[in-house]
Amino acid sequence: MTGDLTIGRWIDDRADLTPDRIAIDFGGSAVTYRQVAERSDALAAEFVGRGLQRGDRVAVLSENRPEYVDVLFACAKAGLIMVPLNWRLTPPEIAFQLDDGEVALLLVDDGLQGSAADALGLSSVNPEVRDLRVPAAPAPVPHRDIDDADPLFLIYTSGTTGKPKGALITHANTFWTNLAIDRIMDVTTFDVVLQVLPQFHIGGWNVQPLLAWWKGATVVLEPAFDPERALELIGSKRVTTMMGVPATYLFMAESPRFGDADLTSLRSAVVGGAPMPEPLIERWHRRGVQLIQGYGLTEASPNVLGLPAEDVARKIGYAGKPYPHVAVGLADTETGAIIEGEGIGELIVKGPSVFPGYWRNSKATAETLVDGWLHTGDVAERDAEGFYRIRDRVKDMYISGGENVYPAEVESVLAQHPAVVEAAVLGVPHERWGEVGRAVVVVRAGHELTGEEVVEWCRERVASYKIPRDVIFVDALPRSAMNKILKRELVGSVEGARR
């Protein structure tokens, strides 16, 4: 039997209702709902024919493409788990995810074949590899039981231990998070959605695109974000809504075209991934666009908080209230006690969109899911009206250009350098990227090291957005009585140190 909440049903139902409506506009080429349904059927049949079993992992290394959408719906129909790989990662980082996920099939965009080959050369698994082309001949999907609780996505998020963790997102998680966001964002069957977020992020699926295809709307899909082109597309395609991170809207607002761009069709623009600077929100509001702050995280599939349209102007800087079907609370960061009324504490989340746990990592799951609550690691403030504002992070993670960066992962790479005794990485404010990394390094006696050498060492081992932009050298790192590095103290103690 197939569960009532499974995602493969969405595209088939829509193909029956509106087969000739445009589902995807990609580079000016139109893909109809009938085509997506048929192509995903053909792919699902091929996957089953290759011997892939229910629950097997299918990884995708690609920029945004319509074929990526076909793969997701094919996996949904065949009971497989899609593993979206971040194409910005280095081959060793990709190899780790291939190994950890025990990937059975790897689908690679033509332009990324070299990266895939390099990663496979470092990987211990030996998946089948093919390009993203869809079989030309239609084929029926062989019957396979799929449950609502079956995983649909395996999405890797960097962890505080330095090793990425795979978050499992089920069909039911995906159903409920899209239903929840629809209760506030209200995507309609007549909307035109501009999709510039990468499809290796959960936000590239569950913040508007999948909801749009559920509703029968059109998604203008871009391979990657370009601010000039995004502004042009809003006018030429009559885009009504979009989603981005703060850097998305900053780069568009900084464009010389921003003042004259035709934004009259853009009903609302959703921002997530990091708190949005209030002056930037006001800049978009002056152009007549409602810039709506939200909050989410991968482990919540990701939608948690949203700001209703009528509160946008008076609650600038707030992430909003919990979406329907999402329960949110605050926990004291010292005692864990639940905070009532106004207050500041760690944001915790409960509901059907919260993930079941990390892939084969029971320890990390137990640390994150406590008494039914997802502990986000983010500090939030709740006001008297029940609106939430994200204040700080319990964990050391920082966000650079919308990308999560976990210092422990970079610190682990720095520690491998023969001249480095130890290092700490901090997120520091940056007017363009929101935050960037600052590495504070203790050099081994008898060695010499420059900031340029540290950056080059990282460049070969981590993705570009994780590379520290600033390197400071100190004699020792401050520590607590428990021998933990005091990063808050470190922030104020590095001024004047050698760079």
Side-chain angles (χ1 to χ4, degrees), residues 452-469:
E452 291 78 11
E453 289 171 331
V454 170
V455 169
E456 190 58 33
W457 177 266
C458 293
R459 194 183 310 282
E460 298 174 2
R461 292 165 175 82
V462 296
S464 59
Y465 61 85
K466 301 177 185 177
I467 299 171
R469 296 295 185 93

Side-chain angles (χ1 to χ4, degrees), residues 25-30 222 229 237:
D25 183 329
F26 182 77
S29 297
E222 285 291 285
R229 178 164 170 78
K237 300 292 184 181

Side-chain angles (χ1 to χ4, degrees), residues 181 184-187 193-197 203 206-208 211 240-249 252 266-274 276 281 284 289-296 303 305-307 312 319 323:
I181 196 172
I184 292 182
M185 301 304 176
D186 194 27
V187 172
V193 178
L194 178 59
Q195 166 59 13
V196 295
L197 289 183
N206 280 344
V207 187
Q208 292 190 336
L211 178 58
T240 58
T241 186
M242 64 177 291
M243 163 67 186
V245 299
T248 305
Y249 299 106
M252 292 170 71
L266 192 59
R267 184 181 77 248
S268 66
V270 183
V271 58
M276 177 69 115
I281 296 176
W284 277 85
V289 178
Q290 286 188 333
L291 205 57
I292 302 173
Q293 179 78 51
Y295 168 85
N303 305 307
L305 301 171
L307 198 58
V312 168
Y323 288 112

Side-chain angles (χ1 to χ4, degrees), residues 102 144 153 184 205 289 305 346 359 448 491 494:
E102 296 183 358
R144 179 170 281 178
F153 294 100
I184 292 182
W205 299 100
V289 178
L305 301 171
E346 182 185 6
W359 170 256
E448 293 185 357
V491 170
V494 296

Side-chain angles (χ1 to χ4, degrees), residues 34 40 90 105 107 117 119 139 150 203 207 243 294 304 313 333 377 422 431 433 467 470 477 490:
R34 178 190 288 113
S40 57
T90 62
L105 176 64
L107 306 180
D150 284 351
V207 187
M243 163 67 186
V304 175
T333 56
E422 60 180 348
E431 64 180 13
W433 298 109
I467 299 171
D470 186 23
L477 299 177
L490 188 59

Side-chain angles (χ1 to χ4, degrees), residues 30 138 311 428:
D311 296 308
V428 296

Side-chain angles (χ1 to χ4, degrees), residues 336-403:
I338 301 298
I339 298 170
E340 302 293 341
E342 297 177 65
I344 299 176
E346 182 185 6
L347 191 69
I348 55 177
V349 184
K350 182 186 289 187
S353 58
V354 170
F355 81 143
Y358 295 108
W359 170 256
R360 295 179 180 174
N361 194 334
S362 57
K363 181 176 182 294
T365 299
E367 292 171 348
T368 303
L369 296 175
V370 181
D371 296 329
W373 288 97
L374 166 64
H375 284 249
T376 67
D378 290 323
V379 174
E381 175 187 3
R382 182 174 56 220
D383 70 10
E385 295 180 87
F387 287 89
Y388 289 81
R389 181 198 294 265
I390 306 302
R391 282 298 193 187
D392 202 349
R393 299 181 181 93
V394 176
K395 302 171 185 176
D396 293 330
M397 182 197 81
Y398 63 92
I399 300 173
S400 185
E403 296 281 359

